Amino acid sequence: MAQTTHYTELGLVNTREIFQKAVRGGYAIPAYNFNNMEQLQAIILASIETNSPVILQVSNGARKYANSAMLRGMAKGAVEMAREMDSQIPICLHLDHGDSFELCKSCIDSGFSSVMIDGSHLSYEENVALTRKVVEYAHPFDVTVEGELGVLAGIEDDVVAEHSTYTQPDEVEDFVTKTGVDSLAISIGTSHGAYKFKLAEGEEVPPLRFDILTEVEQRIPGFPIVLHGASSVVQEYVQLINKYGGHIEGAVGVPETQLRQAAKSAVCKINIDSDGRLAMTAKVREFLANNPNEFDPRKFLGAARTELVELMKHKNETVLGSAGKA
Ligand code: G3H
Ligand code: 13P
Ligand code: ZN
């Protein structure tokens, strides 16, 4: 299928300029995942209120859940909503963890302004070849591409949570040169989901591998770096979920101080999904427990949306430093 919608028709931007500014300015742009209207409204409202550039992030799972045509329409609506509110914040629509050329192509063809091709589970050579192929398709449309080197550690997978899964700094220069990617996701100790670290009683969260980040920065100075798995797993939400009937044990995330430190470096995109999921679940559970007669979804989803706005404003202002940078 030929390209049907270019992202500029939807009022979106790619990541090139916003990343350059973020690297130079020592802050990171939030990449928030969305699957439904309330999440998207919250992302846009928080971004407008903090005057922050924003990356709307869509996973393959989100595409299956919400339908790709629906998501494109929602992203267009999000831009229109911002402009109607007199905000000119840059808004990017990005594919999160694209796992094939075909998926990336389909997103580029349907109006995404940026895609991630995640070849991190492949051999180095296969990762280079796949990433290069996506870049060659994307760049003529001025769509930017994120690649990944190093596999994120997983708590379910602690056998591979060793040095070998961290990004190897001696590969990054060759990778970005051979592939032509616009940004690079690296593995320095974060992981996806709400269970990022297995801690013994009283044990502190271990620091991220800032030594690897520093070496990467030395090898490819000024090149935009991306941090996945960057939710802090806000304990207040975990407690609320458990208080109102949930059962989430041992959930731990990346401390905000460490994210702040990363944001000041070449890390210019920080991916956050789990914190939004926790906030939403906590507020829906709390609302329904306290209002057993209520059955209007606008009430409990509205409560969740209000909390999401506060959470994202806090992140933009205090953690990522993107507030006021639009
Ligand atoms: O990195 C994964 C994101 O949190 C998206 O998750 O595939 O469940 O939509 P998902
Ligand atoms: P979290 O699970 O830490 O929110 O990470 C999200 C992410 O990396 C999406 O790509
Ligand atoms: Zn991710």
Side-chain angles (χ1 to χ4, degrees), residues 89-311:
I89 53 165
I91 302 173
C92 168
L93 180 63
H94 175 78
L95 169 67
D96 191 24
H97 294 283
D99 61 357
S100 67
F101 171 78
E102 289 70 26
L103 174 59
C104 292
K105 179 179 182 302
S106 164
C107 287
I108 294 164
D109 291 347
S110 68
F112 281 60
S113 57
S114 176
V115 294
M116 175 189 193
I117 176 68
D118 182 354
S120 62
H121 289 84
L122 303 174
S123 71
Y124 180 77
E125 289 71 26
E126 287 169 334
N127 189 359
V128 167
L130 178 60
T131 306
R132 175 79 226 157
K133 190 173 172 190
V134 171
V135 169
E136 277 170 358
Y137 186 77
H139 278 181
F141 299 111
D142 208 20
V143 169
T144 41
V145 180
E146 174 184 326
E148 177 161 341
L149 265 183
V151 180
L152 290 208
I155 192 91
E156 73 286 351
D157 210 356
D158 49 3
V159 181
V160 293
E162 290 169 3
H163 293 280
S164 59
T165 65
Y166 294 130
T167 302
Q168 290 176 243
D170 58 359
E171 287 182 346
V172 297
E173 197 179 350
D174 185 67
F175 186 82
V176 303
T177 307
K178 282 189 178 148
T179 59
V181 276
D182 302 281
S183 59
L184 181 68
I186 61 167
S187 169
I188 56 167
T190 62
S191 63
H192 291 110
Y195 303 92
K196 299 191 190 299
F197 306 98
K198 240 188 232 162
L199 300 179
E201 185 76 28
E203 196 184 351
E204 300 263 303
V205 172
L208 298 178
R209 291 291 303 271
F210 285 102
D211 56 320
I212 297 178
L213 174 58
T214 303
E215 216 184 317
V216 167
E217 284 186 279
Q218 284 163 357
R219 305 259 182 168
I220 43 174
F223 194 83
I225 302 297
V226 177
L227 201 59
H228 283 247
S231 279
S232 292
V233 185
V234 180
Q235 291 301 305
E236 182 190 323
Y237 298 141
V238 174
Q239 282 155 17
L240 267 183
I241 290 170
N242 290 340
K243 178 174 173 189
Y244 291 108
H247 185 73
I248 292 185
E249 290 295 324
V252 188
V254 184
E256 289 185 349
T257 47
Q258 295 197 37
L259 295 171
R260 185 78 208 99
Q261 187 180 339
K264 286 182 179 159
S265 73
V267 169
C268 63
K269 172 175 180 270
I270 289 192
N271 286 10
I272 299 163
D273 188 3
S274 297
D275 276 342
R277 295 179 181 199
L278 290 166
M280 212 163 184
T281 304
K283 286 296 159 178
V284 169
R285 279 191 180 277
E286 180 184 51
F287 184 90
L288 291 176
N290 291 332
N291 300 275
N293 298 329
E294 192 57 70
F295 59 94
D296 180 347
R298 289 173 297 187
K299 297 281 170 42
F300 55 83
L301 292 177
R305 185 177 62 190
T306 302
E307 186 61 35
L308 279 178
V309 174
E310 292 311 309
L311 170 75

